Amino acid sequence: EKLKAYQVYLSACPFKKISIFFANKMIVHKASDAKTLHIVDFGILYGFQWPILIHHLSTRPGGPPKLRITGIERPQPGFRPSERVEETGRRLARYCERFHVPFEYQAIAEQNWEAIKVEDLNIAEGEVLAVNALFQFNNLFDETVKVDSPRDAVLRLIRKMNPDIFVNAVTNGSYSAPFFVTRFREALFHYSSLFDIFDATLPREDLQRMNLEQQFFGRE
């Protein structure tokens, strides 16, 4: 049901589709000669970005590289905080098996991404390292909140990782401002424009639209 809702979203609104296309194309290009490709994905959620990349890797002349994915996500409430991000890994493993791409997965469920250390990521020598963060850093407080901000700490972590490619997409809004009213107003501007698009392309009673609004936009 989540995948169906996501497909409806991609068909109705081009923004994330274009970002995913660009990110995957740049990563595949960087890993054209790699024996191992390691993707560290900040905010992997259900991993919907990666099946098309796996398919592209499977068609590479000379055979696919080994694919390693480190999926970083915020924990779920309850007794199994890492269940969703681990299930994402199992789903991607089945997809890699189908397309004969060697696969390794590591799940990290961490509320405070700035607390992650380079050692936690198990980066190996000789692999092509790609860091992917699509529309995730808007939840990290910036320097307007405190000088040594969580956002800067995560960016320092990425610098220490020294990736071969870093793909970052951001929503153009002040979501890390220290004042709630500012954050709320910016979010209202952004999501009202999305809902205007959906009103023009999807019926309001569409089940998949309601699902994506509740499960994706409600969460955000």
Side-chain angles (χ1 to χ4, degrees), residues 36-86:
T36 302
L37 169 61
H38 185 181
I39 299 172
V40 177
D41 188 9
F42 284 90
I44 191 169
L45 194 57
Y46 301 109
F48 291 156
Q49 177 178 348
W50 303 122
I52 187 66
L53 179 136
I54 292 167
H55 178 68
H56 279 305
L57 293 178
S58 71
T59 62
R60 193 181 75 169
K66 177 181 180 180
L67 176 62
R68 299 181 63 211
I69 293 182
T70 298
I72 300 172
E73 188 52 78
R74 291 176 175 82
Q76 288 178 274
F79 297 109
R80 300 182 63 185
S82 61
E83 180 180 11
R84 181 168 54 203
V85 68
E86 290 173 352

Side-chain angles (χ1 to χ4, degrees), residues 91-171:
R91 191 163 46 246
L92 291 175
R94 291 193 295 269
Y95 203 83
C96 282
E97 184 178 5
R98 173 183 170 188
F99 285 94
H100 309 290
V101 175
F103 184 65
E104 181 182 318
Y105 183 79
Q106 177 186 7
I108 297 178
E110 175 61 62
Q111 182 65 38
N112 301 313
W113 289 355
E114 65 274 17
I116 298 172
K117 296 180 174 58
V118 173
E119 300 78 43
D120 300 331
L121 304 172
N122 296 318
I123 298 169
E125 187 176 351
E127 63 187 12
V128 170
L129 178 62
V131 176
N132 184 80
L134 299 190
F135 307 104
Q136 294 300 319
F137 287 0
N138 56 313
N139 293 318
L140 295 172
F141 286 125
D142 60 20
E143 67 277 0
T144 61
V145 180
K146 60 180 180 177
V147 175
D148 190 17
S149 67
R151 187 196 63 182
D152 289 350
V154 173
L155 291 175
R156 284 197 299 270
L157 168 67
I158 295 170
R159 182 184 290 273
K160 289 180 183 177
M161 292 163 60
N162 191 25
D164 295 278
I165 182 171
F166 171 39
V167 186
N168 182 34
V170 296
T171 304

Side-chain angles (χ1 to χ4, degrees), residues 1-13 16 46 48 198 202 206-217:
E1 290 303 311
K2 303 289 190 305
L3 179 58
K4 290 177 182 177
Y6 198 71
Q7 288 171 331
V8 166
Y9 167 48
L10 294 182
S11 68
C13 177
K16 190 161 287 188
Y46 301 109
F48 291 156
F198 296 148
L202 295 169
D206 185 282
L207 292 178
Q208 304 307 335
R209 173 181 170 176
M210 289 190 284
N211 194 348
L212 73 90
E213 288 177 349
Q214 292 169 5
Q215 299 298 329
F216 292 96
F217 297 143

